[in-house]
Amino acid sequence: MGFQRARKEEQRERRRQEILDAAWELFEEGGLEMVTFSTIGAKVSFTRQTIYTYYRSRDEVLLDLLSRRMEDFYQDIRAMFPIGKPVTQREFCERLVDHLLSNKKMLALFSLHITLENKARYENILSFKRTMYEAFPVFCTILCDQCPDASEDAFCYFCLTIMVYISSIYPMIDQTPLQKKALQEASGGMAIPTDRELILSSLMLMTGSFHFRGDGDEETSNP
């Protein structure tokens, strides 16, 4: 019985992953509007009706998809900062900038999480929130190693700030040329920073109170 149960659970997980893979492919192709039970059903190896045994709505699919993409996102951040290998404040921020810009689709989905949560069941929301708050152990471990003189409160404040920042930055780095032109005109001709400049400046400000071991005794400055 145990073996049969394991096979069934394995099959359920395989089908769930197939649904999520199809949803991600569709989201990459055409954004939110492309992801429907009909379009997912056309890509998976089982019936559309079977999808309803795993998810009640498209929003639950997308919320679960976001959780899994975020897990990979955090794992990559861990790998970017090996324990015992100091970096400077700027190196820390530049690596995060590159990581954020290479994950624009995940950021796009993350920016919608409140809307997705409003149409999902509690267990789906709880699962997502647990993944979302993985930012705390990930960044606290890294910062404890890179900035040992900083306080625990400083680490917690940074984790809260970066979590909110990551979930909200996408609209600012996905503006059309027309939107950028309007922004420049509305601001009186102010030079509009590139996406990289914008994110780097923000991260340098967020980490301005930390002393990174890679900086030694030198003072760090904002770009």
Side-chain angles (χ1 to χ4, degrees):
M1 290 295 291
F3 179 67
Q4 289 181 344
R5 186 180 302 112
R7 288 186 61 183
K8 287 181 181 179
E9 289 173 358
E10 193 175 292
Q11 183 184 52
R12 286 179 61 84
E13 179 56 29
R14 193 162 54 243
R15 284 182 172 177
R16 186 176 285 108
Q17 188 60 55
E18 193 173 342
I19 292 168
L20 297 179
D21 288 343
W24 182 248
E25 186 178 335
L26 289 162
F27 185 73
E28 285 193 307
E29 288 174 3
L32 199 62
E33 298 306 315
M34 278 288 291
V35 186
T36 67
F37 274 25
S38 294
T39 54
I40 292 172
K43 283 182 173 289
V44 297
S45 62
F46 43 89
T47 66
R48 174 185 167 185
Q49 190 60 37
T50 303
I51 299 174
Y52 284 95
T53 66
Y54 298 91
Y55 298 102
R56 288 185 182 176
S57 67
R58 177 190 70 166
D59 300 272
E60 289 187 354
V61 174
L62 290 170
L63 198 61
D64 199 0
L65 175 60
L66 177 56
S67 290
R68 301 209 181 189
R69 301 305 298 190
M70 287 182 70
E71 286 173 0
D72 294 338
F73 181 80
Y74 288 142
Q75 287 293 341
D76 289 341
I77 291 176
R78 283 192 180 96
M80 284 160 49
F81 301 103
I83 298 299
K85 293 189 176 181
V87 297
T88 64
Q89 179 198 10
R90 192 174 187 89
E91 286 171 340
F92 176 81
C93 294
E94 286 181 337
R95 290 183 193 181
L96 286 182
V97 172
D98 291 338
H99 191 48
L100 289 167
L101 290 177
S102 66
N103 283 275
K104 277 191 174 184
K105 286 295 183 180
M106 193 280 292
L107 295 179
L109 198 52
F110 200 2
S111 69
L112 302 170
H113 76 91
I114 296 298
T115 300
L116 299 178
E117 289 176 25
N118 286 337
K119 299 178 182 179
R121 286 171 291 178
Y122 177 75
E123 56 265 34
N124 297 82
I125 299 171
L126 179 60
S127 177
F128 167 70
K129 293 294 190 185
R130 284 173 172 161
T131 302
M132 184 176 172
Y133 275 84
E134 276 297 303
F136 279 81
V138 169
F139 282 108
C140 279
T141 298
I142 293 169
L143 291 172
C144 280
D145 179 60
Q146 296 292 340
C147 313
D149 296 335
S151 68
E152 186 176 336
D153 286 345
F155 292 155
C156 288
Y157 180 78
F158 173 82
C159 290
L160 280 171
T161 304
I162 194 69
M163 192 167 60
V164 173
Y165 182 78
I166 292 172
S167 72
S168 61
I169 191 175
Y170 180 75
M172 287 300 296
I173 60 174
D174 189 49
Q175 296 188 74
T176 65
L178 198 63
Q179 287 174 311
K180 290 182 178 180
K181 180 181 177 181
L183 179 61
Q184 187 171 31
E185 185 175 340
S187 65
M190 181 182 70
I192 305 302
T194 64
D195 294 344
R196 184 178 181 80
E197 290 169 341
L198 176 66
I199 299 174
L200 180 59
S201 177
S202 301
L203 292 175
M204 290 291 284
L205 286 171
M206 278 186 238
T207 56
S209 64
F210 295 137
H211 178 73
F212 283 76
R213 288 197 293 136
D215 285 315
D217 294 328
E218 298 179 5
E219 293 185 358
T220 58
S221 60
N222 292 333

